[in-house]
Amino acid sequence: MIHWDDLKAANEPLNAFTDFDTTAQSGKGPLEGVTIGVKANIAVAGLPWTSGIEAFRDRIAERDAESVKRLRDAGAVIIGSLNMEEAALGAKTDNPFYGQTHNPHRIGYTPGGSSGGSGAAVAAGLCDAALGTDTMGSVRIPAAYCGVYGLKPTRGAVSQDGLELVDAWLDSIGPLARSLELMESVTRVIANLAPAQVIDNIGLLENLGEVECEQPVLDGYEKAKKAMGAAEQFALPYPLTRIRFAGFIMSSLGLANSLKQVIADNPDGLSDHLKKLLTYGPKRSADDLAEDRKILKETGEAMSAAADKYGAILLPTAPQAAFSHADNAPANQADFTCLASIAGLPAISIPAGWTDDGLPVGVQIIGAAGNEAGLFELARKLDSQLDAYRDPETFLKHS
Protein backbone atom coordinates (compact mmCIF):
# COMPACT_ATOMS: atom_id res chain seq x y z
CA MET A 1 0.00 0.00 0.00
CA ILE A 2 1.25 3.47 -0.90
CA HIS A 3 0.97 6.08 1.85
CA TRP A 4 0.34 9.05 -0.38
CA ASP A 5 0.52 11.73 2.31
CA ASP A 6 3.93 10.47 3.40
CA LEU A 7 5.11 10.22 -0.21
CA LYS A 8 4.00 13.77 -1.01
CA ALA A 9 5.69 15.07 2.15
CA ALA A 10 8.95 13.31 1.22
CA ASN A 11 8.76 14.75 -2.28
CA GLU A 12 8.22 18.33 -1.12
CA PRO A 13 11.87 19.28 -0.37
CA LEU A 14 13.07 17.57 -3.56
CA ASN A 15 10.37 18.54 -6.08
CA ALA A 16 11.09 15.34 -8.01
CA PHE A 17 7.44 14.56 -8.82
CA THR A 18 5.24 17.22 -10.39
CA ASP A 19 2.06 15.10 -10.45
CA PHE A 20 0.84 11.96 -8.67
CA ASP A 21 -1.78 9.42 -9.69
CA THR A 22 -3.30 8.52 -6.35
CA THR A 23 -5.57 5.95 -8.05
CA ALA A 24 -2.57 3.89 -9.20
CA GLN A 25 -2.84 0.16 -8.54
CA SER A 26 -0.54 -2.81 -8.93
CA GLY A 27 -1.24 -5.50 -11.48
CA LYS A 28 0.05 -9.05 -11.90
CA GLY A 29 3.34 -9.85 -13.54
CA PRO A 30 7.12 -9.74 -13.10
CA LEU A 31 7.00 -6.14 -11.79
CA GLU A 32 4.03 -6.64 -9.47
CA GLY A 33 4.10 -3.97 -6.74
CA VAL A 34 7.11 -2.11 -8.17
CA THR A 35 6.47 1.64 -8.04
CA ILE A 36 7.63 3.63 -11.04
CA GLY A 37 7.76 7.35 -11.80
CA VAL A 38 7.76 8.58 -15.38
CA LYS A 39 9.54 11.63 -16.80
CA ALA A 40 7.06 14.29 -17.85
CA ASN A 41 7.90 14.04 -21.55
CA ILE A 42 6.56 10.44 -21.66
CA ALA A 43 2.78 10.05 -21.87
CA VAL A 44 0.97 8.59 -18.84
CA ALA A 45 -2.78 8.29 -19.35
CA GLY A 46 -4.70 10.86 -17.31
CA LEU A 47 -1.66 12.86 -16.18
CA PRO A 48 -0.24 16.13 -17.51
CA TRP A 49 2.14 15.46 -20.39
CA THR A 50 4.14 18.67 -20.13
CA SER A 51 7.69 17.85 -21.23
CA GLY A 52 8.60 20.52 -18.68
CA ILE A 53 7.10 23.19 -20.95
CA GLU A 54 4.65 25.83 -19.71
CA ALA A 55 2.76 25.76 -23.02
CA PHE A 56 1.92 22.09 -22.36
CA ARG A 57 0.84 22.55 -18.72
CA ASP A 58 -2.80 21.69 -19.44
CA ARG A 59 -2.13 18.90 -21.92
CA ILE A 60 -3.39 15.60 -20.50
CA ALA A 61 -2.19 12.34 -22.02
CA GLU A 62 -5.07 10.35 -23.49
CA ARG A 63 -3.18 7.07 -23.38
CA ASP A 64 0.01 5.53 -22.07
CA ALA A 65 3.21 5.57 -24.06
CA GLU A 66 4.14 2.07 -25.26
CA SER A 67 6.88 1.78 -22.62
CA VAL A 68 4.46 2.79 -19.84
CA LYS A 69 1.82 0.36 -21.11
CA ARG A 70 4.36 -2.46 -21.02
CA LEU A 71 5.21 -1.61 -17.42
CA ARG A 72 1.55 -1.58 -16.38
CA ASP A 73 0.96 -4.89 -18.15
CA ALA A 74 3.90 -6.31 -16.16
CA GLY A 75 2.25 -5.31 -12.86
CA ALA A 76 4.13 -2.08 -12.11
CA VAL A 77 2.43 0.78 -10.25
CA ILE A 78 2.81 3.99 -12.27
CA ILE A 79 2.62 6.56 -9.49
CA GLY A 80 3.24 9.89 -11.20
CA SER A 81 5.11 12.26 -13.49
CA LEU A 82 8.61 13.52 -12.78
CA ASN A 83 10.14 16.95 -13.12
CA MET A 84 12.69 17.58 -15.85
CA GLU A 85 14.67 20.21 -17.66
CA GLU A 86 12.43 22.35 -19.86
CA ALA A 87 11.89 20.45 -23.15
CA ALA A 88 14.71 18.05 -22.11
CA LEU A 89 17.37 20.46 -23.37
CA GLY A 90 19.81 20.89 -20.50
CA ALA A 91 21.34 19.06 -17.55
CA LYS A 92 20.42 20.88 -14.31
CA THR A 93 16.64 20.41 -13.87
CA ASP A 94 16.19 24.01 -12.83
CA ASN A 95 12.83 24.39 -14.52
CA PRO A 96 11.54 27.98 -14.80
CA PHE A 97 7.90 26.85 -14.67
CA TYR A 98 7.89 23.70 -12.52
CA GLY A 99 10.72 24.59 -10.14
CA GLN A 100 14.13 23.22 -9.24
CA THR A 101 14.59 19.57 -8.42
CA HIS A 102 17.10 18.96 -5.62
CA ASN A 103 19.66 16.22 -5.23
CA PRO A 104 18.79 13.92 -2.29
CA HIS A 105 22.45 13.92 -1.29
CA ARG A 106 22.57 17.70 -1.01
CA ILE A 107 19.53 19.99 -0.96
CA GLY A 108 20.26 23.03 -3.11
CA TYR A 109 22.34 20.99 -5.56
CA THR A 110 21.38 19.77 -9.00
CA PRO A 111 20.35 16.13 -9.55
CA GLY A 112 21.52 16.50 -13.14
CA GLY A 113 19.29 16.50 -16.16
CA SER A 114 17.37 16.46 -18.17
CA SER A 115 15.89 13.51 -16.25
CA GLY A 116 16.64 15.14 -12.89
CA GLY A 117 13.31 14.23 -11.33
CA SER A 118 13.89 10.60 -12.29
CA GLY A 119 17.33 10.48 -10.66
CA ALA A 120 16.23 12.31 -7.50
CA ALA A 121 13.06 10.26 -7.01
CA VAL A 122 14.89 6.95 -7.34
CA ALA A 123 17.80 7.99 -5.11
CA ALA A 124 15.46 9.24 -2.39
CA GLY A 125 13.33 6.09 -2.49
CA LEU A 126 10.20 7.94 -3.62
CA CYS A 127 9.78 5.19 -6.22
CA ASP A 128 11.53 1.91 -6.90
CA ALA A 129 12.48 2.79 -10.46
CA ALA A 130 11.86 5.53 -12.99
CA LEU A 131 11.79 6.14 -16.69
CA GLY A 132 13.92 8.95 -18.07
CA THR A 133 15.02 9.93 -21.54
CA ASP A 134 18.57 10.20 -22.79
CA THR A 135 19.46 12.46 -25.73
CA MET A 136 23.13 13.11 -24.96
CA GLY A 137 23.35 11.76 -21.40
CA SER A 138 20.08 12.76 -19.76
CA VAL A 139 19.57 9.42 -17.99
CA ARG A 140 23.20 8.73 -17.15
CA ILE A 141 24.16 12.18 -15.83
CA PRO A 142 21.34 12.16 -13.21
CA ALA A 143 22.28 8.56 -12.35
CA ALA A 144 25.86 9.65 -11.67
CA TYR A 145 24.98 12.83 -9.78
CA CYS A 146 22.38 11.02 -7.65
CA GLY A 147 24.44 7.87 -7.07
CA VAL A 148 22.09 5.37 -8.72
CA TYR A 149 22.09 3.17 -11.84
CA GLY A 150 20.94 4.34 -15.26
CA LEU A 151 20.71 2.79 -18.72
CA LYS A 152 20.62 4.32 -22.17
CA PRO A 153 19.49 1.44 -24.43
CA THR A 154 20.53 0.73 -28.00
CA ARG A 155 18.96 3.11 -30.49
CA GLY A 156 15.50 1.76 -31.31
CA ALA A 157 15.44 -0.88 -28.56
CA VAL A 158 12.66 0.93 -26.68
CA SER A 159 9.69 2.37 -28.55
CA GLN A 160 9.54 6.16 -28.86
CA ASP A 161 5.74 6.00 -28.97
CA GLY A 162 4.34 8.60 -26.55
CA LEU A 163 7.63 10.47 -26.21
CA GLU A 164 7.86 14.22 -26.83
CA LEU A 165 11.03 14.11 -28.89
CA VAL A 166 14.10 16.31 -28.86
CA ASP A 167 15.72 14.42 -31.74
CA ALA A 168 14.46 11.05 -32.96
CA TRP A 169 17.98 9.89 -33.88
CA LEU A 170 19.47 10.66 -30.44
CA ASP A 171 16.56 10.08 -28.03
CA SER A 172 16.16 6.88 -26.01
CA ILE A 173 13.79 6.07 -23.16
CA GLY A 174 15.74 4.37 -20.38
CA PRO A 175 15.31 3.26 -16.74
CA LEU A 176 16.97 4.30 -13.48
CA ALA A 177 16.96 2.24 -10.28
CA ARG A 178 18.82 1.70 -7.01
CA SER A 179 20.01 -1.75 -8.11
CA LEU A 180 21.17 -3.29 -11.36
CA GLU A 181 18.81 -6.21 -10.78
CA LEU A 182 15.69 -4.07 -10.76
CA MET A 183 16.96 -1.92 -13.63
CA GLU A 184 17.48 -5.04 -15.73
CA SER A 185 13.99 -6.32 -14.84
CA VAL A 186 12.48 -3.04 -16.00
CA THR A 187 14.60 -3.08 -19.16
CA ARG A 188 13.44 -6.59 -20.05
CA VAL A 189 9.84 -5.36 -19.90
CA ILE A 190 10.23 -2.22 -22.02
CA ALA A 191 12.72 -3.71 -24.52
CA ASN A 192 13.15 -7.07 -26.21
CA LEU A 193 16.70 -8.06 -25.28
CA ALA A 194 18.83 -10.41 -27.35
CA PRO A 195 20.83 -13.18 -25.63
CA ALA A 196 23.95 -11.92 -23.88
CA GLN A 197 27.23 -11.80 -25.77
CA VAL A 198 30.09 -12.34 -23.32
CA ILE A 199 32.38 -9.33 -22.88
CA ASP A 200 35.95 -10.24 -21.96
CA ASN A 201 37.84 -7.10 -22.91
CA ILE A 202 37.36 -3.33 -22.73
CA GLY A 203 38.48 -0.29 -24.66
CA LEU A 204 39.75 2.92 -23.11
CA LEU A 205 39.56 6.30 -24.77
CA GLU A 206 43.04 7.61 -25.54
CA ASN A 207 41.96 11.27 -25.59
CA LEU A 208 40.20 11.18 -22.21
CA GLY A 209 42.59 13.83 -20.89
CA GLU A 210 41.07 16.46 -23.20
CA VAL A 211 38.21 16.83 -20.69
CA GLU A 212 38.91 18.48 -17.35
CA CYS A 213 37.63 16.11 -14.64
CA GLU A 214 37.34 16.50 -10.89
CA GLN A 215 39.77 14.28 -8.98
CA PRO A 216 37.11 12.02 -7.39
CA VAL A 217 35.80 11.27 -10.89
CA LEU A 218 39.28 10.26 -12.01
CA ASP A 219 39.75 8.19 -8.85
CA GLY A 220 36.53 6.29 -9.53
CA TYR A 221 37.53 5.76 -13.14
CA GLU A 222 40.96 4.43 -12.14
CA LYS A 223 39.38 2.04 -9.65
CA ALA A 224 37.02 0.80 -12.37
CA LYS A 225 39.92 0.36 -14.81
CA LYS A 226 41.75 -1.78 -12.26
CA ALA A 227 38.64 -3.86 -11.59
CA MET A 228 38.02 -4.44 -15.30
CA GLY A 229 41.53 -5.74 -15.99
CA ALA A 230 42.69 -6.14 -19.60
CA ALA A 231 42.17 -3.07 -21.74
CA GLU A 232 43.29 -1.48 -25.01
CA GLN A 233 43.25 2.16 -26.01
CA PHE A 234 41.64 3.76 -29.04
CA ALA A 235 41.24 7.34 -30.24
CA LEU A 236 38.36 9.30 -31.72
CA PRO A 237 38.86 11.42 -34.83
CA TYR A 238 37.68 14.71 -33.27
CA PRO A 239 38.02 16.53 -29.95
CA LEU A 240 35.34 15.52 -27.45
CA THR A 241 34.11 19.09 -26.98
CA ARG A 242 33.62 19.44 -30.74
CA ILE A 243 31.72 16.14 -30.91
CA ARG A 244 29.44 17.20 -28.06
CA PHE A 245 28.80 20.58 -29.69
CA ALA A 246 27.79 18.89 -32.94
CA GLY A 247 25.31 16.79 -30.99
CA PHE A 248 23.94 19.89 -29.30
CA ILE A 249 23.40 21.53 -32.70
CA MET A 250 21.35 18.54 -33.87
CA SER A 251 19.32 18.66 -30.65
CA SER A 252 18.70 22.39 -31.03
CA LEU A 253 17.71 21.98 -34.66
CA GLY A 254 15.37 19.05 -34.02
CA LEU A 255 13.65 20.69 -31.08
CA ALA A 256 13.32 24.04 -32.86
CA ASN A 257 11.49 22.28 -35.68
CA SER A 258 9.14 20.37 -33.38
CA LEU A 259 8.33 23.45 -31.27
CA LYS A 260 7.99 25.88 -34.18
CA GLN A 261 4.19 26.00 -33.90
CA VAL A 262 4.32 26.35 -30.11
CA ILE A 263 6.63 29.35 -30.46
CA ALA A 264 4.27 30.90 -33.01
CA ASP A 265 1.07 30.27 -31.02
CA ASN A 266 2.29 30.75 -27.45
CA PRO A 267 5.70 32.46 -27.23
CA ASP A 268 5.29 32.96 -23.48
CA GLY A 269 4.93 29.21 -23.11
CA LEU A 270 8.69 28.80 -23.44
CA SER A 271 11.38 30.47 -21.34
CA ASP A 272 13.75 33.00 -22.88
CA HIS A 273 16.61 30.63 -22.05
CA LEU A 274 15.07 27.78 -24.05
CA LYS A 275 14.19 30.08 -26.94
CA LYS A 276 17.84 31.14 -27.09
CA LEU A 277 19.02 27.51 -27.14
CA LEU A 278 16.63 26.83 -30.00
CA THR A 279 18.36 29.44 -32.19
CA TYR A 280 21.73 27.68 -32.38
CA GLY A 281 20.68 24.91 -34.77
CA PRO A 282 18.55 26.94 -37.19
CA LYS A 283 21.13 29.72 -37.55
CA ARG A 284 23.92 27.28 -38.44
CA SER A 285 25.22 27.68 -41.98
CA ALA A 286 24.83 24.86 -44.49
CA ASP A 287 28.59 24.27 -44.52
CA ASP A 288 28.77 24.15 -40.71
CA LEU A 289 25.82 21.77 -40.55
CA ALA A 290 27.48 19.53 -43.10
CA GLU A 291 30.62 19.49 -40.95
CA ASP A 292 28.56 18.74 -37.82
CA ARG A 293 26.91 15.79 -39.52
CA LYS A 294 30.27 14.51 -40.78
CA ILE A 295 31.69 14.67 -37.26
CA LEU A 296 28.72 12.79 -35.82
CA LYS A 297 28.81 10.13 -38.54
CA GLU A 298 32.54 9.46 -38.19
CA THR A 299 32.38 9.52 -34.39
CA GLY A 300 29.48 7.08 -34.39
CA GLU A 301 31.36 4.75 -36.71
CA ALA A 302 34.51 4.91 -34.57
CA MET A 303 32.59 4.23 -31.35
CA SER A 304 30.67 1.33 -32.90
CA ALA A 305 33.88 -0.19 -34.28
CA ALA A 306 35.54 0.07 -30.85
CA ALA A 307 32.54 -1.48 -29.08
CA ASP A 308 32.47 -4.34 -31.58
CA LYS A 309 36.23 -4.89 -31.28
CA TYR A 310 36.57 -4.71 -27.49
CA GLY A 311 33.09 -5.65 -26.32
CA ALA A 312 32.83 -2.66 -23.98
CA ILE A 313 34.22 0.84 -23.51
CA LEU A 314 34.85 2.34 -20.07
CA LEU A 315 34.46 6.07 -19.44
CA PRO A 316 33.59 8.39 -16.58
CA THR A 317 29.91 9.26 -16.73
CA ALA A 318 30.21 13.00 -16.06
CA PRO A 319 33.44 14.96 -15.49
CA GLN A 320 32.15 16.33 -12.19
CA ALA A 321 29.93 15.60 -9.21
CA ALA A 322 26.69 17.51 -8.62
CA PHE A 323 27.03 21.26 -8.14
CA SER A 324 24.94 24.02 -6.61
CA HIS A 325 21.87 25.26 -8.45
CA ALA A 326 23.40 28.71 -7.97
CA ASP A 327 26.22 27.76 -10.34
CA ASN A 328 26.11 27.65 -14.12
CA ALA A 329 26.15 24.20 -15.67
CA PRO A 330 29.64 23.20 -16.88
CA ALA A 331 29.85 23.08 -20.66
CA ASN A 332 31.56 19.67 -20.55
CA GLN A 333 28.82 17.77 -18.68
CA ALA A 334 27.96 15.59 -21.68
CA ASP A 335 31.42 15.26 -23.25
CA PHE A 336 31.55 11.56 -22.32
CA THR A 337 27.88 10.60 -22.33
CA CYS A 338 27.20 12.03 -25.81
CA LEU A 339 29.38 9.36 -27.41
CA ALA A 340 27.06 6.40 -26.82
CA SER A 341 24.06 8.48 -27.89
CA ILE A 342 25.71 9.54 -31.14
CA ALA A 343 26.68 5.93 -31.91
CA GLY A 344 23.32 4.51 -30.79
CA LEU A 345 25.03 2.14 -28.35
CA PRO A 346 23.78 0.88 -24.96
CA ALA A 347 25.47 2.41 -21.91
CA ILE A 348 25.07 1.82 -18.16
CA SER A 349 26.13 4.31 -15.48
CA ILE A 350 27.27 2.80 -12.18
CA PRO A 351 28.15 4.51 -8.87
CA ALA A 352 31.94 4.68 -8.71
CA GLY A 353 32.84 6.67 -5.61
CA TRP A 354 32.36 9.82 -3.58
CA THR A 355 33.74 13.28 -3.11
CA ASP A 356 35.19 14.12 0.29
CA ASP A 357 31.94 15.85 1.24
CA GLY A 358 29.64 12.99 0.25
CA LEU A 359 28.55 13.56 -3.34
CA PRO A 360 28.50 10.55 -5.68
CA VAL A 361 30.41 10.13 -8.94
CA GLY A 362 29.88 7.53 -11.64
CA VAL A 363 31.47 5.53 -14.44
CA GLN A 364 29.77 4.19 -17.54
CA ILE A 365 30.32 1.11 -19.62
CA ILE A 366 29.27 1.23 -23.27
CA GLY A 367 28.51 -1.98 -25.13
CA ALA A 368 28.01 -3.14 -28.69
CA ALA A 369 24.62 -2.42 -30.25
CA GLY A 370 21.98 -4.86 -29.03
CA ASN A 371 24.09 -6.34 -26.24
CA GLU A 372 22.27 -4.89 -23.23
CA ALA A 373 22.15 -8.37 -21.66
CA GLY A 374 25.93 -8.76 -21.90
CA LEU A 375 26.41 -5.24 -20.62
CA PHE A 376 24.32 -6.02 -17.55
CA GLU A 377 26.46 -9.09 -16.85
CA LEU A 378 29.60 -6.99 -17.05
CA ALA A 379 28.02 -4.22 -14.97
CA ARG A 380 27.25 -6.65 -12.14
CA LYS A 381 30.89 -7.76 -12.02
CA LEU A 382 32.14 -4.18 -11.99
CA ASP A 383 29.56 -3.06 -9.46
CA SER A 384 30.57 -5.80 -7.02
CA GLN A 385 34.17 -4.54 -7.23
CA LEU A 386 33.37 -0.85 -6.88
CA ASP A 387 30.76 -1.35 -4.13
CA ALA A 388 30.02 2.39 -4.31
CA TYR A 389 26.23 2.61 -3.96
CA ARG A 390 25.27 4.51 -0.83
CA ASP A 391 21.81 5.37 0.46
CA PRO A 392 21.36 9.17 0.56
CA GLU A 393 19.36 9.59 3.78
CA THR A 394 22.40 10.34 5.91
CA PHE A 395 23.32 13.20 3.60
CA LEU A 396 19.97 15.00 3.52
CA LYS A 397 21.15 17.09 6.47
CA HIS A 398 23.65 18.90 4.21
CA SER A 399 22.32 22.12 2.71
Side-chain angles (χ1 to χ4, degrees):
M1 176 181 290
I2 298 172
H3 299 284
W4 291 104
D5 288 343
D6 293 342
L7 181 57
K8 291 177 181 179
N11 178 64
E12 189 170 343
L14 299 174
N15 193 34
F17 280 92
T18 54
D19 296 279
F20 288 104
D21 179 6
T22 57
T23 68
Q25 298 289 327
S26 176
K28 299 291 185 183
L31 297 180
E32 182 174 350
V34 173
T35 59
I36 294 182
V38 178
K39 188 177 179 179
N41 60 346
I42 304 169
V44 176
L47 289 182
W49 182 22
T50 68
S51 197
I53 296 173
E54 172 68 10
F56 294 157
R57 185 182 288 271
D58 297 325
R59 182 175 68 171
I60 304 299
E62 296 180 358
R63 63 179 180 86
D64 286 335
E66 173 64 22
S67 54
V68 175
K69 180 181 182 299
R70 287 189 176 208
L71 292 171
R72 283 199 207 274
D73 290 347
V77 191
I78 309 300
I79 64 172
S81 296
L82 293 158
N83 202 9
M84 58 180 284
E85 191 81 28
E86 183 185 13
L89 195 60
K92 275 184 75 172
T93 313
D94 185 0
N95 192 296
F97 304 111
Y98 301 93
Q100 295 177 340
T101 294
H102 296 277
N103 193 312
H105 294 277
R106 184 74 51 80
I107 299 300
Y109 275 52
T110 176
S114 62
S115 309
S118 304
V122 167
L126 303 181
C127 54
D128 297 319
L131 290 185
T133 63
D134 194 305
T135 305
M136 295 232 297
S138 290
V139 162
R140 289 162 288 154
I141 291 170
Y145 284 6
C146 293
V148 297
Y149 303 85
L151 166 72
K152 187 209 82 68
T154 301
R155 181 180 293 135
V158 178
S159 171
Q160 292 180 335
D161 171 72
L163 170 61
E164 187 72 36
L165 290 165
V166 174
D167 182 275
W169 184 69
L170 291 170
D171 284 355
S172 293
I173 294 173
L176 301 92
R178 290 186 300 282
S179 73
L180 282 167
E181 290 72 23
L182 179 55
M183 193 167 77
E184 183 172 5
S185 295
V186 171
T187 303
R188 289 186 176 279
V189 167
I190 63 175
N192 300 316
L193 301 191
Q197 300 174 33
V198 175
I199 301 171
D200 52 16
N201 194 11
I202 60 166
L204 303 175
L205 191 58
E206 194 175 282
N207 37 338
L208 187 81
E210 295 173 5
V211 180
E212 184 177 355
C213 296
E214 294 177 356
Q215 190 59 47
V217 170
L218 295 176
D219 291 344
Y221 174 66
E222 290 298 323
K223 185 176 180 181
K225 278 171 56 178
K226 184 177 179 181
M228 297 282 270
E232 297 181 52
Q233 289 196 333
F234 71 99
L236 291 175
Y238 299 97
L240 296 178
T241 54
R242 182 64 182 92
I243 295 167
R244 183 253 307 153
F245 183 73
F248 164 71
I249 289 296
M250 293 302 112
S251 300
S252 172
L253 189 63
L255 196 55
N257 287 334
S258 65
L259 293 178
K260 186 180 300 182
Q261 197 59 48
V262 174
I263 295 171
D265 294 343
N266 186 6
D268 293 334
L270 303 179
S271 71
D272 289 341
H273 173 68
L274 177 60
K275 284 186 280 190
K276 180 180 179 181
L277 293 178
L278 296 182
T279 65
Y280 285 86
K283 73 181 181 184
R284 201 86 166 132
S285 72
D287 287 346
D288 286 342
L289 275 175
E291 182 183 31
D292 294 332
R293 292 191 171 100
K294 179 176 183 286
I295 287 170
L296 295 177
K297 179 178 182 293
E298 293 180 6
T299 298
E301 290 171 349
M303 285 294 295
S304 294
D308 289 340
K309 178 179 180 179
Y310 305 120
I313 299 163
L314 176 70
L315 286 167
T317 304
Q320 64 286 120
F323 50 90
S324 170
H325 269 302
D327 297 334
N328 293 327
N332 67 3
Q333 272 179 297
D335 278 10
F336 298 133
T337 52
C338 73
L339 300 175
S341 299
I342 289 165
L345 302 176
I348 294 176
S349 181
I350 301 169
W354 298 85
T355 65
D356 290 342
D357 57 350
L359 292 172
V361 297
V363 294
Q364 59 177 324
I365 46 173
I366 301 169
N371 195 25
E372 280 86 350
L375 203 60
F376 272 112
E377 288 183 356
L378 182 65
R380 282 191 290 273
K381 294 176 184 176
L382 177 58
D383 188 49
S384 67
Q385 294 291 313
L386 296 177
D387 192 26
Y389 174 80
R390 191 183 297 174
D391 189 275
E393 273 96 358
T394 55
F395 296 99
L396 282 172
K397 63 181 181 291
H398 291 288
S399 60

